[in-house]
Every structure is written in C-alpha cells, then in structure tokens.
Amino acid sequence: MARPTTFVGSSVALFLEGTPAGTYTRPCGLTNHTFTFTKNATDVTVPDCADPELPAWIERGVESLDFGGSGTGVLAAEAVDTWWEAFNSTESINARIYVGKPTDTANGRYWQGKVHVTSFEVTGERGNKAQVSVSVVSDGELTLETVTV
C-alpha cells in the first residue's frame, strides 16, 4: 500500500489580496486555521406511490453552498492594520484559502473568492503575548484552483 501525500498544518492558511491588486499575502501571526464548507439542503418527503403506507424516503435538493473560517494566534504588529482594514470595510475582499504551500505546484490547492472579515478579536493577559482571533465568511462563489507558479 502506498503512503498518502500529506500537508503540514501550517500550510493551511488564509491569504488576503494586497497592493498591488492580484498579490496575496498571509497576515502574520495566525497559527491555527479552521475552514468549513457547508451545503444547505432542503428536504422533501417522497411517498411510495404503489404503497402509501410504507415509510416515505426523504430526498434532498441543494439550496446553497457556504464557506466560513477562522484563525487564531499571536497578534503580530505587522498584521493589525491589515485585519482592521479588512474588518472595517463594508466591501468584501479577495482572498485565497490555501491547502499546501503557495509554491507547491505538485499538490497545492487553494480556493479563491470574496470574503468578509466578520470578527476581529484581540485579547491580552498579563504575562502572555497578545492573541488574535479572526472569522471570515464567503461573499459568493469560491473556486478551487491548482497552484501554478
């Protein structure tokens, strides 16, 4: 049996579009990323026409697709303005969600589309480094792309 090709955890990351347009950077400091793709379905109970007394099966139709994500880590001074500008904007911003390094042309993938930064939380505790937590949601379709350099 062949061993699978795996990804290191730090290669799962959110990149935001910067300046100039078309360049994507990973805001410094996040050490943990969680991304969730969901499919919202509608249920329809379909009876058996030949024997209406039999239990009916539920069929489902896809109503919508959604994406949400979050990241936590150390609050890097270099990223404060980036996170604040992204959160403080009423417009969605271009983003990429990577699985694999941005230079991994053999196995790297990313989803690309628009997101809203819906939360930007900063915490501090005496004796520790300041921490940050951010959440994002999609604004429309995300497309899966293969890394090309």
Side-chain angles (χ1 to χ4, degrees):
M1 179 170 87
R3 292 185 56 187
T5 302
T6 59
F7 298 99
V8 297
S10 63
S11 72
V12 176
L14 174 67
F15 284 62
L16 301 178
E17 186 177 37
T19 305
T23 61
Y24 290 82
T25 57
R26 178 181 183 165
C28 185
L30 297 184
T31 57
N32 181 8
H33 293 82
T34 301
F35 301 123
T36 304
F37 294 87
T38 56
K39 184 183 291 187
N40 300 307
T42 56
D43 294 355
V44 177
T45 303
V46 180
D48 185 306
C49 292
D51 188 350
E53 295 302 315
L54 287 175
W57 281 94
I58 295 176
E59 293 184 8
R60 292 180 173 89
V62 175
E63 184 177 1
S64 60
L65 302 174
D66 196 14
F67 163 79
S70 63
T72 60
V74 176
L75 179 63
E78 298 83 357
V80 172
D81 290 344
T82 300
W83 289 124
W84 179 249
E85 289 170 15
F87 170 77
N88 203 36
S89 174
T90 58
E91 300 293 323
S92 55
I93 58 175
N94 291 322
R96 289 182 176 173
I97 297 87
Y98 278 89
V99 176
K101 294 181 181 179
T103 56
D104 183 357
T105 57
N107 299 301
R109 305 282 187 277
Y110 62 90
W111 290 269
Q112 181 168 310
K114 292 192 171 289
V115 300
H116 282 285
V117 175
T118 56
S119 74
F120 171 52
E121 179 180 279
V122 176
T123 58
E125 180 181 344
R126 184 174 182 265
N128 288 318
K129 300 291 183 185
Q131 301 289 302
V132 66
S133 176
V134 296
S135 296
V136 298
V137 294
S138 60
D139 182 16
E141 181 180 7
L142 295 182
T143 58
L144 181 61
E145 308 288 339
T146 301
V147 171
T148 58
V149 179

